[in-house]
Every structure is written in structure tokens, then in C-alpha cells.
Amino acid sequence: MLPTQVIVALLVLQLALVIPLVAVVIQLFRLIHWQLRADPQTRGERPHFTGPVLAMLFSALAASDFIGFEPFKTVSELNPVPLDARAYFTVAMLALAVWCWAYAGAIRTRMRGMLGLK
């Protein structure tokens, strides 16, 4: 039987993967509604995907050592972080996921500025 800390860590990683995935699906539904059904004069701003997609990316990197099927297995094998530091890597990726979700608007604005877009 696994220790309690490991079980809690695996549940947190599962939530870290599922929550951004659900958010992306919700944003897709909102985008479809925005494009097809919403009134053009009152529909407001287009739904954005920056936060949930970046959170999903970093959460997947954090969970890559714990999930044994593809593409996570290949990502885990290509990870240059030594095995001794993988726990720190996981925590850092989860922290980046939260940071990206919280500051998605600033990240999007800065990337548009760097790329010369509006």
C-alpha cells in the first residue's frame, strides 16, 4: 500500500491535469457560442485560452514522471532533470501552471507586444 503522502500527491497531480483540461473544454464551448450564437453587438470580447492551455502544459510536464503512457512516458525519458531533483521539478512545474493561470492576461499582452501584434 502506498503512503498517504504519495496518494495525496497523485490526487493533486490528477486535479492539476483535469482542471485545466475542463477549463479548455469550457472555453471551447464559450468560443463556439461566441462565434455562432451570440449577438455581435453585445457579445463582448472573445474567450481566451492562454491561462488554461499554459496551465495544462506545465501540469502535464509535472505529471510526466507519474503517468506511464504516451506521450508522458517519452517526455519523462527526455527530461534532462536528474532523478534526485524530479520532485523539485514537479513542484516548480505546478507553480508555473498556477502562475501562468493567474497572469494569463499579462503573458498574452507581453507576447503580443514582442510579436508586434496589436
Side-chain angles (χ1 to χ4, degrees):
M1 178 149 169
L2 294 173
T4 307
Q5 294 93 348
V6 173
I7 294 171
V8 169
L10 290 174
L11 289 174
V12 167
L13 282 174
Q14 286 179 352
L15 282 176
L17 286 171
V18 169
I19 291 172
L21 181 64
V22 169
V24 168
V25 169
I26 290 171
Q27 288 295 81
L28 281 173
F29 283 130
R30 287 184 61 214
L31 180 67
I32 291 168
H33 177 266
W34 183 85
Q35 286 183 335
L36 300 177
R37 302 192 125 201
D39 183 24
Q41 283 77 26
T42 61
R43 66 183 176 188
E45 194 175 338
R46 179 181 72 80
H48 298 288
F49 291 88
T50 308
V53 169
L54 287 174
M56 192 167 51
L57 171 76
F58 288 120
S59 296
L61 286 174
S64 64
D65 282 337
F66 300 98
I67 299 175
F69 55 88
E70 294 297 336
F72 298 106
K73 187 175 178 182
T74 303
V75 170
S76 177
E77 291 170 0
L78 295 174
N79 192 348
V81 177
L83 287 175
D84 299 341
R86 291 288 174 99
Y88 298 113
F89 173 78
T90 301
V91 171
M93 290 300 109
L94 289 175
L96 275 173
V98 171
W99 181 81
C100 285
W101 200 306
Y103 293 104
I107 293 168
R108 183 176 48 253
T109 303
R110 179 156 299 181
M111 290 304 294
R112 283 184 176 173
M114 287 173 50
L115 296 173
L117 300 173
K118 186 177 180 181

